[in-house]
């Protein structure tokens, strides 16, 4: 069973936005056993959309489109689908009712004709109710193929995929099971690793695929397999991993958890153990707090953060001694550790993270190079820090600091607990 | 002149990574006047890559491939290109020298056969030197069409695009000029905006395209045009913008290309006037601070934030009276205003923003509905707040609260100053 994803919108093709919708949809489809054959991004252009629909129908059983469903004239997906299905648009009463409710509760303005017209869908389509926006999803069938059209706004698309598309697909089709397992290795290059495990790789059964995913000192090894019985597939892949592990023992650091982000793992552990967390952020500017609070339920373990973006705030609010800053500079292990220790006390938490660094582009009045970040972890009993050089540009430094801070915290939390 | 981008790799099609390479390449091509007709992501599969090469050749003049050039067996792009061009692989001396240099300076290990084989390229190809990695870029021509194959590692791909691909394309072809201008508006919905400017939109010349890009309370309007003479195109688009501006005066905040985002406007005004800002964030969890500090130079006006994610922190750190919370609940105008007033005092700033709300998915112990957010603005002389209902889901509530808070702050900052 194969799917094709078509993302529609000039903004993708001029590089104004990065298409992150496709990766989300592909993940969700993979989970239920649907492989994605191809992802195609096309312009807001009738002929081009029609052409890609035709090609997708030849290649795939399930065709998912996103984008081009807004109320304005540049949004042409709905009319194009009607043309493709030799159909006309008709008003869907349930969609209109949903739009009226949204307008009454949130927009609090009279409905315009453009809003009302969003309730028009091809007569052959089933509306998929978009509870968080006015553009409905649409489900159309043609012989045994299914066409699904979704809005391009990520949170609207995500809600529709999870609440409507996946359950309906599972009801309609019987899917095989797809298993991916990704092993993390550290400290060996891609080509050396490949030579080390060559015999094992050559002996892999045909239906188990291996991929090397190298990235700055780490190489991920992904094993993929597909079959009808989950237990069989899992057993086979595990067997191959058992053969592999002794050969890469010294480089193997664990499995990549595709379902569980660092934040999710931290969240689960902290809430279960009724432990709490605070952050004191300088160069990360609140982004660690933001990442943590993006998850529902964060208030059960995350108490908050002090973002101290100037020396004055580090001194006056975080109570870092002025003399310590004068001696070591704000970008130092000593200041990072004091920030962590103090925010732990001020917020009365079990764990604290602190960051101080120079994200660039200028050096300001620190001794350290651009890209230098100190990250400290404090608990009731201990505090320690590590120095990192994250390079350039600013955005990369901030993001790597956030990831590294969460990684260090996770290690600390899972240590002996 | 049209291009097609083909990204190769199973990791894209299973959603393990988001393809951000395409957006970068599309941006760079657009800048020199090349439109991207389509972006296609395909599997590491010979037949599939061959098929997409054939289709791309029919649609486009310039075909750029990324990915699948590593040293391991799952990387098949190079062999597939050789097949497509009915060619064989030969060792390229300059590529081998580059690999030897990289290994000597950075890897400090003997070259393996797999590394040496990375110097093999199709005999008809010109190598594009990858100074930061071992996989070379390749340039092939077929009649007047150009095929370019690049490694998928983003920083290797980026360096090759900027240093090799763009200069060579400009030398080979004569490109038209492509202009995009994006206007930012705040405070009006997509459909209302569309109705307001309908006559103007209907009278736009055919070669100027308009797109609406809505995103949580902001709508971006993008005008695109293409032509041979830069000055003419710019003049025409500017003329249309001059006709448009009086109609959207109260919503228009600036141009995206000129980096006049809300944060940038706030930054400019505050640094020029030597004024300072702090935030006290509950439901936005540090995201306002993060947005502000994403801009270089923020430390000249942004002192920091107190993220108070629990009642306890609002009381103990932000000094919100317990009785006030008991009387009005944490999600209230009174608490928002006290948070703003207090963080202004604690951080000793000229302006402060505070947010408190219920982002969902559960109501917790507040009286207010999910999606309700109070945003307060404080200055040395005044404090006020507004109540908003931002709907669902969580992600949308947080993002709309951040946008709205920055919008209110901008209004306050620009008022009588």
């Amino acid at each position: 069973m194969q799917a094709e994803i078509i993302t529609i919108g000039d903004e993708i093709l001029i590089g104004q936005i990065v298409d992150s919708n496709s990766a989300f949809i592909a993940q969700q489809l993979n989970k239920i056993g649907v492989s994605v054959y191809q992802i195609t991004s096309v312009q807001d252009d009738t002929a081009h959309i029609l052409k890609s629909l035709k090609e997708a129908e030849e290649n795939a059983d399930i065709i998912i489109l996103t984008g081009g469903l807004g109320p304005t004239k540049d949004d042409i997906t709905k009319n194009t689908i009607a043309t493709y299905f030799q159909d006309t648009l008709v008003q869907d009463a349930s969609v209109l009712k949903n739009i009226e409710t949204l307008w009454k509760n949130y927009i609090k303005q009279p409905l315009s004709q453009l809003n009302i017209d969003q309730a028009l869908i091809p007569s052959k389509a089933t509306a998929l109710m978009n509870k968080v926006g006015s553009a409905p999803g649409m489900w159309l069938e043609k012989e045994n193929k299914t066409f699904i059209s979704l809005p391009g706004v990520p949170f609207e698309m995500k809600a529709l995929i999870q609440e409507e598309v996946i359950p309906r697909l599972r009801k309609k089709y019987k899917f095989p099971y797809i298993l991916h397992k990704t092993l993390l290795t550290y400290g060996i290059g891609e080509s050396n690793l490949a030579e080390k495990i060559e015999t094992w790789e050559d002996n892999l059964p045909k239906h188990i695929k291996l991929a090397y995913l190298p990235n700055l000192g780490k190489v991920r090894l992904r094993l993929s397999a597909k079959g009808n019985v989950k237990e069989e597939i899992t057993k086979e892949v595990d067997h191959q991993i058992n053969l592999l592990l002794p050969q890469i023992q010294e480089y193997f650091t664990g499995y990549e958890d595709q379902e569980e982000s660092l934040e999710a793992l931290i969240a689960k552990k902290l809430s279960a153990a009724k432990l709490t967390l605070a952050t004191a952020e300088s160069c990360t500017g609140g982004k660690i707090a933001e990442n943590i609070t993006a998850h529902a339920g964060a208030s059960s373990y995350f108490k908050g953060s002090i973002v101290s973006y100037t020396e004055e705030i580090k001194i006056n609010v975080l109570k870092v001694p002025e003399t310590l800053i004068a001696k070591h500079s704000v970008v130092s292990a000593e200041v990072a550790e004091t920030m962590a220790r103090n925010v732990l006390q001020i917020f009365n938490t079990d764990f604290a993270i602190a960051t101080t660094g120079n994200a660039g582009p200028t050096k300001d009045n620190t001794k350290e190079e651009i890209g230098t970040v100190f990250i400290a972890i404090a608990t009731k009993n201990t505090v320690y820090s590590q120095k990192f050089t994250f390079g350039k540009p600013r955005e990369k430094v901030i993001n790597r600091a956030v990831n590294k801070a969460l990684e260090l915290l996770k290690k600390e939390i899972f240590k002996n607990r």
Side-chain angles (χ1 to χ4, degrees), chain A residues 23-87:
Chain A
F24 177 83
I25 297 171
Q27 272 173 22
Q28 301 301 314
L29 290 176
N30 252 265
K31 270 194 204 160
I32 61 163
V34 179
S35 315
V36 176
Y37 171 77
Q38 182 169 310
I39 299 167
T40 313
S41 300
V42 303
Q43 301 171 358
D44 294 303
D45 173 273
T46 308
H48 196 174
I49 298 172
L50 288 174
K51 181 165 170 275
S52 59
L53 279 169
K54 193 165 167 291
E55 286 169 5
E57 191 180 334
E58 285 161 17
N59 301 329
D61 312 287
I62 298 163
I63 297 100
I64 300 189
L65 299 88
T66 68
L69 294 183
T72 52
K73 295 184 188 188
D74 56 320
D75 291 305
I76 57 169
T77 302
K78 209 154 61 177
N79 280 302
T80 309
I81 292 175
T83 304
Y84 190 74
F85 280 84
Q86 298 174 292
D87 198 2

Side-chain angles (χ1 to χ4, degrees), chain A residues 152-186:
Chain A
V153 179
F155 67 84
E156 298 182 15
M157 177 279 298
K158 285 182 188 171
L160 279 165
I161 284 280
Q162 287 171 321
E163 289 162 27
E164 297 285 343
V165 176
I166 297 295
R168 282 170 190 262
L169 286 176
R170 297 186 84 145
K171 212 167 146 187
K172 177 169 176 186
Y173 300 100
K174 183 167 159 29
F175 297 117
Y177 181 72
I178 297 182
L179 177 72
H180 300 290
K181 271 207 168 178
T182 302
L183 289 77
L184 306 169
T185 72
Y186 190 84

Side-chain angles (χ1 to χ4, degrees), chain A residues 213-387:
Chain A
L213 306 164
N215 184 21
L216 303 166
K218 298 187 248 189
V219 178
R220 294 179 294 170
L221 287 175
R222 189 190 60 232
L223 287 155
S224 307
K226 201 191 223 183
N228 289 319
V229 186
K230 179 178 172 177
E231 290 68 28
E232 267 173 32
I233 291 294
T234 311
K235 209 174 140 191
E236 279 188 86
V237 169
D238 285 346
H239 173 66
Q240 290 303 328
I241 289 176
N242 286 337
L243 294 177
L244 172 64
L245 279 181
Q247 300 174 49
I248 59 167
Q249 205 62 57
E250 57 188 306
Y251 313 108
F252 175 68
T253 59
Y255 296 93
E256 183 177 75
D257 205 320
Q258 280 183 51
E259 327 246 320
E260 302 228 276
S261 63
L262 271 178
E263 298 94 304
L265 287 171
I266 290 168
K268 214 183 269 178
K269 189 82 176 178
L270 289 181
S271 0
K274 295 200 191 309
L275 294 165
T276 55
L277 170 68
T279 68
E281 306 188 41
S282 183
C283 62
T284 50
K287 193 159 190 172
I288 299 174
E290 190 248 309
N291 269 271
I292 292 169
T293 58
H295 293 260
S299 59
S300 74
Y301 57 90
F302 184 66
K303 289 199 183 177
S305 176
I306 291 176
V307 179
S308 57
Y309 218 62
T310 61
E311 230 173 274
E312 173 200 340
I313 300 305
K314 288 183 188 73
I315 297 166
N316 293 343
V317 182
L318 269 176
K319 310 294 178 198
V320 178
E322 210 171 333
T323 49
L324 193 82
I325 294 177
K327 192 168 166 195
H328 302 282
S329 104
V330 279
V331 180
S332 62
E334 290 78 5
V335 169
E337 291 177 17
T338 309
M339 287 169 68
R341 203 186 296 117
N342 291 4
V343 83
L344 183 110
Q345 267 174 21
I346 297 170
F347 279 43
N348 185 28
T349 56
D350 301 291
F351 297 94
I353 306 176
T355 60
T356 178
N358 186 347
T362 58
K363 274 187 73 173
D364 298 333
N365 52 349
T366 67
K367 291 181 297 192
E368 298 288 349
E369 284 307 312
I370 291 170
T372 305
V373 177
F374 288 86
I375 301 176
I377 302 285
T379 70
K380 300 265 188 209
N381 315 312
T382 176
V383 59
Y384 56 87
S385 64
Q386 253 183 277
K387 179 181 176 177

